[in-house]
Amino acid sequence: MTENTAKRNVISKPRARFIRETADVRRQALIEATARCLAEKGVAGTSVRAICARAGVSSGLLTHYFEGVDALILATYEDVGARVSAALEQAVEEAGDDPRDQLRACLQANFRAPILDPDLLATWTAFWSLVRTDPHIAAIHAEVYGGTRAQLETLLRTIVPEMPQDRARLAAISLTALVDGLWLEICLDPTTFSAEEAQAMVERAMMLALGQWRGEWVDQSDKP
Amino acid sequence: MTENTAKRNVISKPRARFIRETADVRRQALIEATARCLAEKGVAGTSVRAICARAGVSSGLLTHYFEGVDALILATYEDVGARVSAALEQAVEEAGDDPRDQLRACLQANFRAPILDPDLLATWTAFWSLVRTDPHIAAIHAEVYGGTRAQLETLLRTIVPEMPQDRARLAAISLTALVDGLWLEICLDPTTFSAEEAQAMVERAMMLALGQWRGEWVDQSDKP
DNA sequence: GTTGATGAGAGCCATGGGCTTGTCAGATCC
DNA sequence: GGATCTGACAAGCCCATGGCTCTCATCAAC
């Protein structure tokens, strides 16, 4: 009825239509919007309004589903971390039964989609910059990295059972660091080296860590 | 004279005393204040007011000496980068004449003061998060990292002249990545491994890259 | 003392985060 | 299948903070 609008003394535009979604859908939408904001505009550009505009909801909704923007960023970190872990796990499963293949797959998957993604790095650096100031982020970081290293360590000792515990620990740390460093640099500046070169480098490092590197840097060497 | 204050209709507190400084001193003070802010409170906490409060000057001075806060952050990146480069260079000089010692010193210096510093990491992550959005930061990043890699490459080929060009290039990239990854992780979470272990890891990686690794991971091996 | 640049500090406008208020979608009940 | 009720949701307000500008005080050199 026209009376309905006439009741208001000011002609205001009708409220935007919306569809009710379940809490999970909304939360996920907000998390994905946060990741996209972090990737595109960095931490500084990740505001409540920017996130909600991306998610296609009003800004009041963020507080409705999360404690605040900090809690949302935390949830985003957990989500992105879980997604990366899942991608690595999937790579391991697809590698077959040979633990050596599994290790190689686990390392090299970092240089393929969906992990090799500059947007993901932007999200990650945002989190790194929060680790020092936010204990919650620090706890999740320790958990994620600890898990990755533990997995590597297990694989290493499966492949070479006689490898000493401490040696396996340091090898896992080294491999993780190498992967991180390469991943960081290739995402920051993809012109320096290619993903294939990165995969070759981690494979070489892996074989060296296993003590099973047969070739030398002069592959077509005429030396005996 | 008392007349001087009486002239004003409102009793206002006297303007703070200050000393004139040269442009260089002021710029440097602002740059150092910016680095401290980045380290302590992250990018989000690095505002004009926070920086100027740290530097002990009023907020108007920032615009007086820099185009804006972005330009100041850029200058801070250049400054911090130059300081790190200088520390590495000094380590090389103090290492003597043997290029192998120089290489080792250059790599291991990353895990000693002043480079091994969580505050420095906080500054660095702030910059990483800006590389993707700010072309100026990206240019400086490419310059700094390119320079480091070129230096490593030169040292590698000095030590082992017969090493192929491409092999040296990849070795330099790998060593840089390993150092970066270890440095990142030890600054984020110092409980995972020690600085001495980091130094041992980079030394091992260096020797492996040179093809001069004699020992095996079972040092007290009973194998022939 | 004069002068010119350095510097303090208030103020302006834009944006941020959180909160409140009111509304509408969709489940529930009869 | 309509009335009712619940709570998800939009819109906008409030205050704090951000970057930056403008005005004028102050210092130091001549």
Side-chain angles (χ1 to χ4, degrees), chain A residues 128-150:
Chain A
W128 281 338
S129 61
L130 294 176
V131 167
R132 293 195 62 245
T133 51
D134 188 336
H136 298 106
I137 298 265
I140 298 184
H141 167 83
E143 191 186 321
V144 169
Y145 270 66
T148 305
R149 270 193 305 267

PDB file of all heavy atoms in Angstrom, chain A residues 128-150:
ATOM      1  N   TRP A 128      52.093 -12.648   9.554  1.00  0.00           N
ATOM      2  CA  TRP A 128      53.419 -12.581  10.162  1.00  0.00           C
ATOM      3  C   TRP A 128      53.567 -11.298  10.967  1.00  0.00           C
ATOM      4  O   TRP A 128      54.133 -11.297  12.060  1.00  0.00           O
ATOM      5  CB  TRP A 128      54.496 -12.633   9.078  1.00  0.00           C
ATOM      6  CG  TRP A 128      54.760 -14.005   8.565  1.00  0.00           C
ATOM      7  CD1 TRP A 128      54.502 -15.187   9.200  1.00  0.00           C
ATOM      8  CD2 TRP A 128      55.333 -14.350   7.297  1.00  0.00           C
ATOM      9  NE1 TRP A 128      54.869 -16.237   8.405  1.00  0.00           N
ATOM     10  CE2 TRP A 128      55.397 -15.756   7.230  1.00  0.00           C
ATOM     11  CE3 TRP A 128      55.810 -13.608   6.213  1.00  0.00           C
ATOM     12  CZ2 TRP A 128      55.901 -16.438   6.132  1.00  0.00           C
ATOM     13  CZ3 TRP A 128      56.318 -14.291   5.128  1.00  0.00           C
ATOM     14  CH2 TRP A 128      56.361 -15.679   5.087  1.00  0.00           C
ATOM     15  N   SER A 129      53.065 -10.235  10.399  1.00  0.00           N
ATOM     16  CA  SER A 129      53.228  -8.962  11.094  1.00  0.00           C
ATOM     17  C   SER A 129      52.370  -8.907  12.359  1.00  0.00           C
ATOM     18  O   SER A 129      52.564  -8.031  13.198  1.00  0.00           O
ATOM     19  CB  SER A 129      52.882  -7.799  10.165  1.00  0.00           C
ATOM     20  OG  SER A 129      51.541  -7.901   9.739  1.00  0.00           O
ATOM     21  N   LEU A 130      51.423  -9.839  12.471  1.00  0.00           N
ATOM     22  CA  LEU A 130      50.590  -9.851  13.675  1.00  0.00           C
ATOM     23  C   LEU A 130      51.099 -10.829  14.729  1.00  0.00           C
ATOM     24  O   LEU A 130      50.702 -10.751  15.886  1.00  0.00           O
ATOM     25  CB  LEU A 130      49.146 -10.214  13.302  1.00  0.00           C
ATOM     26  CG  LEU A 130      48.405  -9.206  12.432  1.00  0.00           C
ATOM     27  CD1 LEU A 130      47.024  -9.728  12.056  1.00  0.00           C
ATOM     28  CD2 LEU A 130      48.289  -7.864  13.129  1.00  0.00           C
ATOM     29  N   VAL A 131      51.988 -11.750  14.330  1.00  0.00           N
ATOM     30  CA  VAL A 131      52.431 -12.793  15.246  1.00  0.00           C
ATOM     31  C   VAL A 131      53.063 -12.185  16.495  1.00  0.00           C
ATOM     32  O   VAL A 131      52.827 -12.633  17.610  1.00  0.00           O
ATOM     33  CB  VAL A 131      53.440 -13.737  14.549  1.00  0.00           C
ATOM     34  CG1 VAL A 131      54.131 -14.609  15.580  1.00  0.00           C
ATOM     35  CG2 VAL A 131      52.728 -14.620  13.540  1.00  0.00           C
ATOM     36  N   ARG A 132      53.822 -11.125  16.309  1.00  0.00           N
ATOM     37  CA  ARG A 132      54.554 -10.574  17.442  1.00  0.00           C
ATOM     38  C   ARG A 132      53.651  -9.818  18.405  1.00  0.00           C
ATOM     39  O   ARG A 132      53.955  -9.698  19.584  1.00  0.00           O
ATOM     40  CB  ARG A 132      55.664  -9.645  16.953  1.00  0.00           C
ATOM     41  CG  ARG A 132      56.736 -10.419  16.201  1.00  0.00           C
ATOM     42  CD  ARG A 132      57.982  -9.597  16.050  1.00  0.00           C
ATOM     43  NE  ARG A 132      58.582  -9.251  17.310  1.00  0.00           N
ATOM     44  CZ  ARG A 132      58.684  -8.023  17.777  1.00  0.00           C
ATOM     45  NH1 ARG A 132      58.210  -7.021  17.096  1.00  0.00           N
ATOM     46  NH2 ARG A 132      59.250  -7.799  18.935  1.00  0.00           N
ATOM     47  N   THR A 133      52.569  -9.273  17.899  1.00  0.00           N
ATOM     48  CA  THR A 133      51.733  -8.461  18.775  1.00  0.00           C
ATOM     49  C   THR A 133      50.535  -9.227  19.321  1.00  0.00           C
ATOM     50  O   THR A 133      49.997  -8.864  20.358  1.00  0.00           O
ATOM     51  CB  THR A 133      51.232  -7.211  18.021  1.00  0.00           C
ATOM     52  OG1 THR A 133      50.640  -7.628  16.778  1.00  0.00           O
ATOM     53  CG2 THR A 133      52.384  -6.275  17.704  1.00  0.00           C
ATOM     54  N   ASP A 134      50.111 -10.296  18.626  1.00  0.00           N
ATOM     55  CA  ASP A 134      48.902 -11.005  19.038  1.00  0.00           C
ATOM     56  C   ASP A 134      49.227 -12.438  19.449  1.00  0.00           C
ATOM     57  O   ASP A 134      49.605 -13.263  18.621  1.00  0.00           O
ATOM     58  CB  ASP A 134      47.909 -11.006  17.873  1.00  0.00           C
ATOM     59  CG  ASP A 134      46.556 -11.548  18.288  1.00  0.00           C
ATOM     60  OD1 ASP A 134      46.497 -12.323  19.270  1.00  0.00           O
ATOM     61  OD2 ASP A 134      45.558 -11.196  17.650  1.00  0.00           O
ATOM     62  N   PRO A 135      49.086 -12.740  20.738  1.00  0.00           N
ATOM     63  CA  PRO A 135      49.413 -14.086  21.231  1.00  0.00           C
ATOM     64  C   PRO A 135      48.579 -15.181  20.565  1.00  0.00           C
ATOM     65  O   PRO A 135      49.078 -16.290  20.361  1.00  0.00           O
ATOM     66  CB  PRO A 135      49.091 -14.001  22.719  1.00  0.00           C
ATOM     67  CG  PRO A 135      49.088 -12.554  23.043  1.00  0.00           C
ATOM     68  CD  PRO A 135      48.640 -11.848  21.809  1.00  0.00           C
ATOM     69  N   HIS A 136      47.327 -14.880  20.218  1.00  0.00           N
ATOM     70  CA  HIS A 136      46.494 -15.891  19.581  1.00  0.00           C
ATOM     71  C   HIS A 136      47.074 -16.283  18.233  1.00  0.00           C
ATOM     72  O   HIS A 136      47.180 -17.456  17.893  1.00  0.00           O
ATOM     73  CB  HIS A 136      45.072 -15.363  19.381  1.00  0.00           C
ATOM     74  CG  HIS A 136      44.380 -15.028  20.659  1.00  0.00           C
ATOM     75  ND1 HIS A 136      44.167 -13.741  21.068  1.00  0.00           N
ATOM     76  CD2 HIS A 136      43.883 -15.822  21.634  1.00  0.00           C
ATOM     77  CE1 HIS A 136      43.552 -13.749  22.238  1.00  0.00           C
ATOM     78  NE2 HIS A 136      43.370 -14.999  22.608  1.00  0.00           N
ATOM     79  N   ILE A 137      47.436 -15.274  17.458  1.00  0.00           N
ATOM     80  CA  ILE A 137      48.047 -15.539  16.151  1.00  0.00           C
ATOM     81  C   ILE A 137      49.335 -16.325  16.354  1.00  0.00           C
ATOM     82  O   ILE A 137      49.628 -17.274  15.618  1.00  0.00           O
ATOM     83  CB  ILE A 137      48.342 -14.211  15.426  1.00  0.00           C
ATOM     84  CG1 ILE A 137      47.054 -13.445  15.167  1.00  0.00           C
ATOM     85  CG2 ILE A 137      49.089 -14.478  14.129  1.00  0.00           C
ATOM     86  CD1 ILE A 137      46.425 -13.641  13.829  1.00  0.00           C
ATOM     87  N   ALA A 138      50.114 -15.930  17.355  1.00  0.00           N
ATOM     88  CA  ALA A 138      51.375 -16.626  17.612  1.00  0.00           C
ATOM     89  C   ALA A 138      51.131 -18.097  17.924  1.00  0.00           C
ATOM     90  O   ALA A 138      51.862 -18.976  17.451  1.00  0.00           O
ATOM     91  CB  ALA A 138      52.113 -15.947  18.767  1.00  0.00           C
ATOM     92  N   ALA A 139      50.097 -18.378  18.699  1.00  0.00           N
ATOM     93  CA  ALA A 139      49.798 -19.764  19.063  1.00  0.00           C
ATOM     94  C   ALA A 139      49.445 -20.579  17.823  1.00  0.00           C
ATOM     95  O   ALA A 139      49.946 -21.705  17.633  1.00  0.00           O
ATOM     96  CB  ALA A 139      48.639 -19.801  20.064  1.00  0.00           C
ATOM     97  N   ILE A 140      48.610 -20.009  16.970  1.00  0.00           N
ATOM     98  CA  ILE A 140      48.228 -20.729  15.754  1.00  0.00           C
ATOM     99  C   ILE A 140      49.439 -20.931  14.847  1.00  0.00           C
ATOM    100  O   ILE A 140      49.618 -21.993  14.253  1.00  0.00           O
ATOM    101  CB  ILE A 140      47.117 -19.970  15.014  1.00  0.00           C
ATOM    102  CG1 ILE A 140      45.883 -19.893  15.910  1.00  0.00           C
ATOM    103  CG2 ILE A 140      46.775 -20.657  13.703  1.00  0.00           C
ATOM    104  CD1 ILE A 140      44.711 -19.255  15.253  1.00  0.00           C
ATOM    105  N   HIS A 141      50.270 -19.908  14.770  1.00  0.00           N
ATOM    106  CA  HIS A 141      51.479 -20.034  13.958  1.00  0.00           C
ATOM    107  C   HIS A 141      52.343 -21.192  14.441  1.00  0.00           C
ATOM    108  O   HIS A 141      52.788 -22.028  13.654  1.00  0.00           O
ATOM    109  CB  HIS A 141      52.278 -18.733  14.005  1.00  0.00           C
ATOM    110  CG  HIS A 141      53.666 -18.877  13.468  1.00  0.00           C
ATOM    111  ND1 HIS A 141      53.950 -18.816  12.122  1.00  0.00           N
ATOM    112  CD2 HIS A 141      54.851 -19.128  14.081  1.00  0.00           C
ATOM    113  CE1 HIS A 141      55.250 -19.006  11.935  1.00  0.00           C
ATOM    114  NE2 HIS A 141      55.818 -19.185  13.114  1.00  0.00           N
ATOM    115  N   ALA A 142      52.573 -21.223  15.744  1.00  0.00           N
ATOM    116  CA  ALA A 142      53.408 -22.288  16.303  1.00  0.00           C
ATOM    117  C   ALA A 142      52.810 -23.656  15.999  1.00  0.00           C
ATOM    118  O   ALA A 142      53.530 -24.613  15.673  1.00  0.00           O
ATOM    119  CB  ALA A 142      53.546 -22.093  17.816  1.00  0.00           C
ATOM    120  N   GLU A 143      51.509 -23.739  16.067  1.00  0.00           N
ATOM    121  CA  GLU A 143      50.828 -25.005  15.819  1.00  0.00           C
ATOM    122  C   GLU A 143      51.014 -25.448  14.367  1.00  0.00           C
ATOM    123  O   GLU A 143      51.414 -26.587  14.094  1.00  0.00           O
ATOM    124  CB  GLU A 143      49.343 -24.833  16.134  1.00  0.00           C
ATOM    125  CG  GLU A 143      48.563 -26.127  16.178  1.00  0.00           C
ATOM    126  CD  GLU A 143      47.078 -25.849  16.359  1.00  0.00           C
ATOM    127  OE1 GLU A 143      46.733 -24.934  17.131  1.00  0.00           O
ATOM    128  OE2 GLU A 143      46.263 -26.528  15.698  1.00  0.00           O
ATOM    129  N   VAL A 144      50.748 -24.526  13.444  1.00  0.00           N
ATOM    130  CA  VAL A 144      50.833 -24.858  12.017  1.00  0.00           C
ATOM    131  C   VAL A 144      52.255 -25.264  11.637  1.00  0.00           C
ATOM    132  O   VAL A 144      52.487 -26.312  11.029  1.00  0.00           O
ATOM    133  CB  VAL A 144      50.363 -23.668  11.165  1.00  0.00           C
ATOM    134  CG1 VAL A 144      50.688 -23.902   9.702  1.00  0.00           C
ATOM    135  CG2 VAL A 144      48.868 -23.456  11.340  1.00  0.00           C
ATOM    136  N   TYR A 145      53.230 -24.437  12.035  1.00  0.00           N
ATOM    137  CA  TYR A 145      54.605 -24.729  11.644  1.00  0.00           C
ATOM    138  C   TYR A 145      55.134 -25.970  12.347  1.00  0.00           C
ATOM    139  O   TYR A 145      55.870 -26.761  11.754  1.00  0.00           O
ATOM    140  CB  TYR A 145      55.496 -23.512  11.921  1.00  0.00           C
ATOM    141  CG  TYR A 145      55.559 -22.591  10.744  1.00  0.00           C
ATOM    142  CD1 TYR A 145      54.413 -21.901  10.339  1.00  0.00           C
ATOM    143  CD2 TYR A 145      56.715 -22.426  10.007  1.00  0.00           C
ATOM    144  CE1 TYR A 145      54.437 -21.061   9.247  1.00  0.00           C
ATOM    145  CE2 TYR A 145      56.742 -21.577   8.904  1.00  0.00           C
ATOM    146  CZ  TYR A 145      55.615 -20.897   8.538  1.00  0.00           C
ATOM    147  OH  TYR A 145      55.651 -20.077   7.443  1.00  0.00           O
ATOM    148  N   GLY A 146      54.773 -26.112  13.599  1.00  0.00           N
ATOM    149  CA  GLY A 146      55.194 -27.304  14.321  1.00  0.00           C
ATOM    150  C   GLY A 146      54.673 -28.561  13.653  1.00  0.00           C
ATOM    151  O   GLY A 146      55.399 -29.544  13.496  1.00  0.00           O
ATOM    152  N   GLY A 147      53.430 -28.517  13.229  1.00  0.00           N
ATOM    153  CA  GLY A 147      52.837 -29.673  12.562  1.00  0.00           C
ATOM    154  C   GLY A 147      53.557 -30.008  11.268  1.00  0.00           C
ATOM    155  O   GLY A 147      53.874 -31.180  10.998  1.00  0.00           O
ATOM    156  N   THR A 148      53.836 -28.982  10.487  1.00  0.00           N
ATOM    157  CA  THR A 148      54.527 -29.205   9.220  1.00  0.00           C
ATOM    158  C   THR A 148      55.899 -29.841   9.443  1.00  0.00           C
ATOM    159  O   THR A 148      56.264 -30.812   8.778  1.00  0.00           O
ATOM    160  CB  THR A 148      54.706 -27.866   8.478  1.00  0.00           C
ATOM    161  OG1 THR A 148      53.427 -27.256   8.343  1.00  0.00           O
ATOM    162  CG2 THR A 148      55.325 -28.093   7.110  1.00  0.00           C
ATOM    163  N   ARG A 149      56.619 -29.290  10.398  1.00  0.00           N
ATOM    164  CA  ARG A 149      57.958 -29.825  10.664  1.00  0.00           C
ATOM    165  C   ARG A 149      57.892 -31.257  11.173  1.00  0.00           C
ATOM    166  O   ARG A 149      58.707 -32.106  10.795  1.00  0.00           O
ATOM    167  CB  ARG A 149      58.687 -28.938  11.674  1.00  0.00           C
ATOM    168  CG  ARG A 149      59.480 -27.841  11.030  1.00  0.00           C
ATOM    169  CD  ARG A 149      60.413 -27.227  12.053  1.00  0.00           C
ATOM    170  NE  ARG A 149      59.670 -26.783  13.225  1.00  0.00           N
ATOM    171  CZ  ARG A 149      59.201 -25.562  13.367  1.00  0.00           C
ATOM    172  NH1 ARG A 149      59.398 -24.669  12.431  1.00  0.00           N
ATOM    173  NH2 ARG A 149      58.549 -25.229  14.438  1.00  0.00           N
ATOM    174  N   ALA A 150      56.925 -31.520  12.029  1.00  0.00           N
ATOM    175  CA  ALA A 150      56.792 -32.879  12.572  1.00  0.00           C
ATOM    176  C   ALA A 150      56.517 -33.873  11.445  1.00  0.00           C
ATOM    177  O   ALA A 150      57.088 -34.975  11.411  1.00  0.00           O
ATOM    178  CB  ALA A 150      55.670 -32.918  13.603  1.00  0.00           C
TER     179      ALA A 150
END
